[in-house]
Amino acid sequence: MCPITNTNFSYSKTLMEFPVDFIRFLTSATRVVVLTGAGVSQESGLRTFRDAQDALWAQYKPEDLASPEAFARDPKLVWDWYAWRREAIKGVRPNPGHYALVEMENRIPAFTLITQNVDGLHRFAGSRNVLELHGNIQRVRCAECGTFTETWGDDTESVPLCVVCGGMLRPDVIWFGEALPRAELEAAVKASRSCHVYFSIGTSGVVQPAASLAYAARNNGSVVVEINAEPTPLTSKVDFAFHGKSGEILPDLAKAVWGV
Ligand code: OAD
């Protein structure tokens, strides 16, 4: 199905039109998968993880904050970091890229949105078939018994405790070294293996197993597309790569394909 390999485009509103082949594939595609990463939320004002100047990980080592070992070593530090991120998300709104993906879902019969983001902005925008591979920062559960809780205090001297068993509460996100939710991962793999077009958007593509989904799609003959501010390790393997902001490219794409 792939006509052209490794065609890269620097996106610019004035200089570029989407390639005719690409528009044709998208227009006729009935099964589409989109994988998103932190870059999709960047234009909403949230920081990404690995971009040099403005990245969360530039200040903190991931293993110091986002792992079971880190939580065992210093639970309050980890709790406070997530509380700070949760606070940063409050008041943040989806951007035009999120809404363009809703428009896509409205027009494509089988549309699966797989996200590594824990910010919940896709659902906030109106996306329905969303697989949250890395959990959701707004949910909190007991680290011991797994009970979810709706209320807790962030300004306590120590990590809030579970009312059921007294264990420490933690965010319902996936930490380094933890398994992804099985049902979500299986659904993501299945959708990626059977889609006509696969998009990798705003992700550096270095965290597994999410990064491997593009290869699952490619090996099964789908057209693979990347939208990213910069080239990534995936760029040389895709059929079409558009470099620029997803909050600009996606709305223009929706307009070019469906006139919305
Ligand atoms: P990264 O921070 O690794 O990558 C963000 C990507 O978005 C980079 O490739 C940027 O070039 C790109 N980008 C930035 N702004 C953009 C924009 N406006 N439009 C398009 N692209 C833009 O974030 P992820 O790939 O999401 O996992 O990171 C994957 C996982 O690593 C996260 O889910 C998190 C982290 O460890 C866990 O916490 C388990």
Side-chain angles (χ1 to χ4, degrees), residues 47 49 53-61 64-65 81 84:
R47 296 159 76 174
F49 290 93
Q53 291 177 348
D54 193 26
L56 288 170
W57 292 157
Q59 276 173 270
Y60 306 102
K61 282 194 213 149
D64 288 345
L65 295 167
W81 185 61
W84 171 72

Side-chain angles (χ1 to χ4, degrees), residues 36-40 42-43 48-51 55 57 62 66 82 85 116-118 134 174-176 201-207 227-232 244-247:
T36 63
V40 165
Q42 185 264 338
E43 289 154 87
T48 61
F49 290 93
R50 293 179 183 78
D51 297 335
W57 292 157
Y82 279 98
R85 286 179 58 192
Q116 300 166 91
N117 298 342
V118 298
H134 291 172
I174 306 303
W175 283 335
F176 287 97
I201 309 178
T203 174
S204 55
V206 296
V207 172
I227 297 175
N228 200 298
E230 294 174 355
T232 73
K245 294 187 171 193
S246 53

